[in-house]
Amino acid sequence: MEATAAPFSSIVSSRQNLPSSSSIRASSPASLFLFQKNIANGNRKFKPPRSLPVRASSTSDSVTLLDYGAGNVRSIRNALRHLGFSIKDVQTPGDILNADRLIFPGVGAFAPAMDVLNKTGMAEALCTYIENDRPFLGICLGLQLLFESSEENGPVKGLGVIPGIVGRFDSSAGIRVPHIGWNALQVGKDSEILDDVGNRHVYFVHSYRAIPSDENKDWISSTCNYGESFISSIKRGNVHAVQFHPEKSGEVGLSVLRRFLHPKLPATQKPMEGKASKLAKRVIACLDVRTNDKGDLVVTKGDQYDVREQSNENEVRNLGKPVDLAGQYYKDGADEISFLNITGFRDFPLGDLPMIQVLRHTSKNVFVPLTVGGGIRDFTDASGRYYSSLEVAAEYFRSGADKISIGSDAVYAAEEFIKSGVKTGKSSLEQISRVYGNQAVVVSIDPRRVYVNHPDDVPYKVIRVTNPGPNGEEYAWYQCTVSGGREGRPIGAFELAKAVEELGAGEILLNCIDCDGQGKGFDIDLVKLISDSVGIPVIASSGAGTPRHFSEVFEKTNASAALAAGIFHRKEVPIQSVKEHLQEERIEVRI
Ligand code: 1PR
């Protein structure tokens, strides 16, 4: 049974309940004192933990979770429940010290996380727990916080358990930052929890990383290559941490959690040789969701954004139920799933509770990243109550989303930014990426191709097109639209992409109205233009009709992922066939 007590996150929000650090009963105050004095004195040489008595691993089916309320830990909760475990939420530092096994799924940014841990006494408790070699699994930021400090909005001091400084990936080395996607590990030592991973891909999403050094080499259990070698997991005794997200890494990720929870499990699978070696290209299934005329929430699909049947009834095309289809695509091998609430621009998204329900239900059984978009903006409802876009995003994250996709509102923000040259910090894009990190914010662009005769005809980026326009025009620009393609705006896709990258977008979902639903392939000219212009990952979207279209977009452009909808919904091409084709073409994918 799940513990009914409030998680630590809710305690943090009511500050008067915070325990003072002096009230902590550390299990080993003397060792903790020495440990911290060592760090405070700037002595960066880590002293190995003393051989303090290790608590025998519990056979109970509960696990303690440190959730300090900075983001989506619903996924890890769902994964733990899926594995048959109940969850005890940390409410006091004592809960950490008394845990049989502790999972710390760090989310958000380094500085606010350390701030909360320090102010609540959790930092001391964590150090003591780890120094006593008690079963611990840190995830993502939960790995980074173990290091001495981070450059993220810093330097900011970390827990100081492991020597080293967490720094940002160097995008000047030609890599896209954030590092988003499925990457391979180089497993260096027997780490137990990675026994089933072998050469398979796991899911990463981060901009900061710790790098291997002589001082921390004893901790490292695997590294990952992304422009450089960085630390993807650590293990010492019963202390584990992973930079990737096991709860988002499909069945392989679940096996990592299972092995942490059941340390004595025999190895079941021999690591596969010669498969994963680097960042894989992603194949994403997209579900455009809206309410049909009967009031049911359905997955629909447009033909150049027109989602109504060409029949007398003119009904909204109904291609299935969102939760069922998402579950199916997960089983079929989709690397990510996107939900776009395509009428969100005219309704208030939090009034659209079915979408929240869709996320909640989907995230119970789907263990790959989920993106949700549609209608993310500041909103004042009929009674005059104001909701910030941050509140809307927070509700989506709490309900199981990993990323938020912003369409129309990002166009307005970019226009404003280009006009004034000032980042106000107030746009939904800026606010959400500041609080949740830019890796959590996707900007969805809905451009339409506009042919011109001459590059100087418009004040936007014009390209020479591969296929001339209807009147022989050799050039085109890509006009951004809002409100589901209904309104063209005075900004091109190129200008928008550059502006939103500046404003804090972590990824671009690049649709194309002309190609949407046509099955004739992606707009290679457009995808090339945008993926060559920004340093963040670009998802090519609109127009996939065959597996060959996927290999084409990866061969001819720098897209990091390709997204399709219609061919998957109509069961014309299974996701697995796309992956097999990409493998045959020697394009690395997650299998
Ligand atoms: O502007 O923040 O409210 O966000 C609205 C979101 O809804 C945007 O991301 C926008 O792209 C999307 N949207 C709005 N109207 C439509 C529509 O179709 N009428 N769908 C719509 C856009 C585009 C793709 C589609 C691909 C692949 N769908 O995501 O799935 O084109 O399709 P295909 O493989 O079948 O060719 P806001």
Side-chain angles (χ1 to χ4, degrees):
M1 283 291 290
E2 173 114 22
T4 49
F8 178 59
S9 53
S10 58
I11 299 166
V12 171
S13 59
S14 57
R15 283 289 162 109
Q16 70 275 19
N17 291 337
L18 291 178
S20 75
S21 53
S22 60
S23 68
I24 302 160
R25 286 179 42 241
S27 62
S28 170
S31 63
L32 173 64
F33 173 72
L34 283 173
F35 183 75
Q36 290 182 328
K37 194 164 154 236
N38 210 12
I39 294 164
N41 289 343
N43 181 356
R44 298 301 187 205
K45 284 244 176 317
F46 177 75
K47 299 238 166 74
R50 296 136 188 259
S51 45
L52 293 164
V54 178
R55 216 183 223 221
S57 204
S58 163
T59 52
S60 91
D61 61 354
S62 90
V63 56
T64 304
L65 189 76
L66 175 51
D67 166 13
Y68 57 93
N72 173 20
V73 297
R74 191 180 189 91
S75 318
I76 187 78
R77 288 178 190 278
N78 284 334
L80 294 171
R81 286 192 200 112
H82 182 83
L83 294 170
F85 277 74
S86 62
I87 296 154
K88 274 194 232 159
D89 279 297
V90 167
Q91 298 177 77
T92 67
D95 293 338
I96 293 177
L97 299 169
N98 293 325
D100 290 324
R101 45 174 95 78
L102 178 69
I103 294 188
F104 181 26
V107 275
F110 196 99
M114 271 316 294
D115 198 37
V116 171
L117 295 179
N118 282 326
K119 283 190 175 136
T120 56
M122 300 287 165
E124 290 176 48
L126 273 171
C127 288
T128 307
Y129 184 84
I130 290 168
E131 200 192 350
N132 281 275
D133 193 28
R134 309 270 289 278
F136 174 86
L137 176 63
I139 298 174
C140 194
L141 188 63
L143 174 141
Q144 296 179 10
L145 291 164
L146 300 179
F147 285 81
E148 288 166 307
S149 68
S150 170
E151 289 168 0
E152 186 176 2
N153 302 322
V156 180
K157 211 166 154 188
L159 294 170
V161 175
I162 305 176
I165 293 165
V166 177
R168 196 167 199 274
F169 279 112
D170 181 5
S171 52
S172 66
I175 53 165
R176 286 171 196 271
V177 182
H179 173 219
I180 297 183
W182 299 77
N183 212 327
L185 305 182
Q186 281 78 50
V187 180
K189 73 172 169 196
D190 185 9
S191 72
E192 294 153 21
I193 64 167
L194 302 181
D195 272 1
D196 299 323
V197 175
N199 272 354
R200 288 186 287 179
H201 296 93
V202 288
Y203 185 76
F204 289 87
V205 50
H206 58 130
S207 299
Y208 290 80
R209 86 289 177 251
I211 50 174
S213 68
D214 276 353
E215 285 72 37
N216 60 34
K217 66 175 190 288
D218 294 345
W219 285 90
I220 300 171
S221 55
S222 75
T223 57
C224 176
N225 204 354
Y226 189 60
E228 62 186 337
S229 178
F230 70 89
I231 298 174
S232 45
S233 65
I234 62 106
K235 170 197 156 59
R236 189 177 248 188
N238 292 307
V239 176
H240 302 266
V242 291
Q243 178 60 67
F244 57 90
H245 285 267
E247 76 285 13
K248 287 286 151 192
S249 296
E251 291 302 316
V252 176
L254 293 177
S255 81
V256 172
L257 293 172
R258 192 180 293 115
R259 288 195 171 279
F260 171 70
L261 298 166
H262 302 284
K264 303 273 177 283
L265 275 184
T268 52
Q269 217 166 346
K270 280 240 161 8
M272 291 183 292
E273 293 301 326
K275 268 198 159 178
S277 64
K278 55 178 193 261
L279 187 66
K281 296 290 185 182
R282 286 171 280 154
V283 175
I284 301 177
C286 181
L287 291 86
D288 290 352
V289 177
R290 64 161 285 171
T291 311
N292 67 11
D293 302 325
K294 293 187 197 111
D296 303 322
L297 198 69
V298 297
V299 174
T300 188
K301 185 65 214 65
D303 187 356
Q304 298 186 325
Y305 283 35
D306 179 359
V307 297
R308 291 195 176 265
E309 302 277 13
Q310 304 302 309
S311 61
N312 289 344
E313 287 76 31
N314 210 225
E315 287 170 336
V316 170
R317 255 178 229 118
N318 180 348
L319 294 170
K321 294 183 180 167
V323 179
D324 294 353
L325 275 183
Q328 189 56 50
Y329 294 149
Y330 168 63
K331 287 189 195 135
D332 294 347
D335 297 317
E336 271 179 57
I337 290 165
S338 294
F339 292 106
L340 296 178
N341 179 352
I342 67 168
T343 51
F345 68 90
R346 57 178 176 230
D347 311 312
F348 175 46
L350 290 190
D352 197 359
L353 287 176
M355 203 62 196
I356 302 269
Q357 296 301 343
V358 164
L359 275 175
R360 286 189 184 145
H361 288 299
T362 303
S363 61
K364 275 187 195 154
N365 297 306
V366 171
F367 300 106
V368 293
L370 298 176
T371 301
V372 64
I376 310 269
R377 66 193 189 286
D378 295 345
F379 189 85
T380 304
D381 71 11
S383 66
R385 166 142 195 224
Y386 168 79
Y387 296 84
S388 72
S389 56
L390 207 50
E391 285 175 77
V392 180
E395 192 54 39
Y396 278 143
F397 285 128
R398 269 195 295 274
S399 304
D402 300 285
K403 301 188 236 180
I404 294 295
S405 163
I406 308 175
S408 309
D409 210 45
V411 178
Y412 301 128
E415 285 179 22
E416 209 40 55
F417 173 53
I418 290 170
K419 201 158 58 183
S420 67
V422 176
K423 292 186 205 170
T424 62
K426 290 185 181 150
S427 66
S428 54
L429 165 55
E430 291 163 283
Q431 289 191 57
I432 300 168
S433 75
R434 190 169 53 244
V435 174
Y436 292 96
N438 62 352
Q439 77 287 338
V441 184
V442 182
V443 166
S444 168
I445 312 185
D446 298 309
R448 185 176 272 125
R449 201 184 307 127
V450 183
Y451 290 104
V452 289
N453 287 313
H454 194 271
D456 298 333
D457 283 357
V458 286
Y460 312 108
K461 177 81 176 179
V462 167
I463 55 164
R464 186 187 277 272
V465 284
T466 307
N467 300 312
N471 302 311
E473 300 95 333
E474 290 184 6
Y475 299 93
W477 70 288
Y478 288 87
Q479 183 182 24
C480 291
T481 65
V482 293
S483 306
R486 286 166 182 77
E487 183 192 336
R489 298 293 305 177
I491 183 170
F494 172 83
E495 290 78 17
L496 182 84
K498 303 282 280 183
V500 298
E501 180 179 25
E502 278 274 308
L503 292 172
E507 204 170 18
I508 285 174
L509 164 54
L510 184 59
N511 304 295
C512 178
I513 297 180
D514 308 82
C515 299
D516 175 59
Q518 304 305 294
K520 293 184 183 150
F522 298 95
D523 188 321
I524 299 294
D525 293 337
L526 171 65
V527 180
K528 190 165 166 24
L529 170 70
I530 303 302
S531 62
D532 286 347
S533 314
V534 292
I536 52 179
V538 172
I539 302 166
S541 165
S542 304
T546 65
R548 176 78 201 112
H549 291 147
F550 289 82
S551 52
E552 183 188 29
V553 78
F554 290 135
E555 279 158 2
K556 295 187 176 166
T557 77
N558 283 312
S560 301
L563 171 151
I567 53 166
F568 298 148
H569 303 336
R570 295 187 299 267
K571 302 193 178 11
E572 289 165 7
V573 180
I575 293 171
Q576 218 42 45
S577 305
V578 174
K579 297 267 186 102
E580 281 162 18
H581 168 75
L582 290 171
Q583 264 197 319
E584 279 162 23
E585 297 298 313
R586 300 187 181 282
I587 295 168
E588 188 159 332
V589 287
R590 173 186 78 112
I591 294 291

